[in-house]
Amino acid sequence: MFHIETNSLYQLFNQVIRLHFQLVHATLEPLGLYPGQPPVLFVLAHKSGLKQRELADHLHIQPATLTVMLKRMEASGYVSRSPDPQDQRVSRVYLTDKGKELCLQVRKAFANMEQKYFGALTPEDKEKMKEGLTLVRDRLLQHDEDKVGGKPVECE
């Protein structure tokens, strides 16, 4: 039977991921959002009016996954979709005023979470942690590319 040491990096990393997910979910739920939706807000706040396919590519998610997310967000009034004037087959996605307000709330909530997580660390510790996590992320992305033939990572 495979046993993971309780003080291993793997176990600690797994605990951090789970706790982070729980905190994100608890933070977003009162705002009416799911954990995969803030990146949509952030991208559209930077560049509203992207083609739906461009947005999916930018987020590294499948178009069908984005469609489900956008339906929920559109129903809540955070985004709107309209046909492209040059090609009616293509939808463009826009952040509404309500979505812009929500984006600001989410950014503030995430800044508060970041302070809660990392506020006790020195600037040097933060930099070391950022370097370590970047290395881990890059290795995980490389592993995923090797495994699925270079297709985008499903980030939802």
Side-chain angles (χ1 to χ4, degrees), residues 51-63 66 152:
K51 293 177 184 175
Q52 194 164 321
R53 177 63 192 220
E54 292 171 332
L55 182 57
D57 290 346
H58 190 80
L59 296 169
H60 303 286
I61 61 175
Q62 297 298 315
L66 179 62

Side-chain angles (χ1 to χ4, degrees), residues 7-151:
N7 62 349
S8 71
L9 279 174
Y10 176 85
Q11 187 65 23
L12 181 59
F13 189 61
N14 189 45
Q15 290 169 351
V16 168
I17 290 168
R18 289 183 54 193
L19 290 167
H20 169 71
F21 180 81
Q22 290 169 358
L23 183 58
V24 168
H25 186 73
T27 300
L28 295 177
E29 188 175 33
L31 300 175
L33 286 177
Y34 293 91
Q37 293 174 328
V40 174
L41 293 174
F42 299 153
V43 170
L44 292 175
H46 180 70
K47 188 169 183 182
S48 195
L50 288 173
K51 293 177 184 175
Q52 194 164 321
R53 177 63 192 220
E54 292 171 332
L55 182 57
D57 290 346
H58 190 80
L59 296 169
H60 303 286
I61 61 175
Q62 297 298 315
T65 301
L66 179 62
T67 298
V68 172
M69 290 172 37
L70 291 177
K71 282 181 184 179
R72 287 180 176 159
M73 295 176 79
E74 194 171 29
S76 298
Y78 303 135
V79 299
S80 64
R81 290 183 284 180
S82 61
D84 183 290
Q86 279 75 42
D87 186 350
Q88 298 291 308
R89 298 169 296 172
V90 174
S91 287
R92 290 199 173 264
V93 185
Y94 299 90
L95 195 59
T96 64
D97 288 341
K98 186 176 178 181
K100 290 174 187 174
E101 290 175 28
L102 181 64
C103 186
L104 292 174
Q105 291 176 351
V106 172
R107 285 188 193 278
K108 184 177 179 180
F110 282 4
N112 289 340
M113 279 193 292
E114 185 168 334
Q115 177 59 33
K116 187 177 201 176
Y117 290 0
F118 308 113
L121 298 177
T122 66
E124 295 80 20
D125 288 341
K126 288 178 187 178
E127 191 57 38
K128 286 179 188 175
M129 185 172 200
K130 191 183 290 186
E131 289 172 7
L133 288 173
T134 299
L135 179 62
V136 170
R137 181 208 55 208
D138 292 348
R139 289 181 60 93
L140 289 171
L141 287 171
Q142 181 61 47
H143 173 74
D144 190 68
E145 287 174 6
D146 293 343
K147 187 175 175 184
V148 297
K151 293 184 180 177

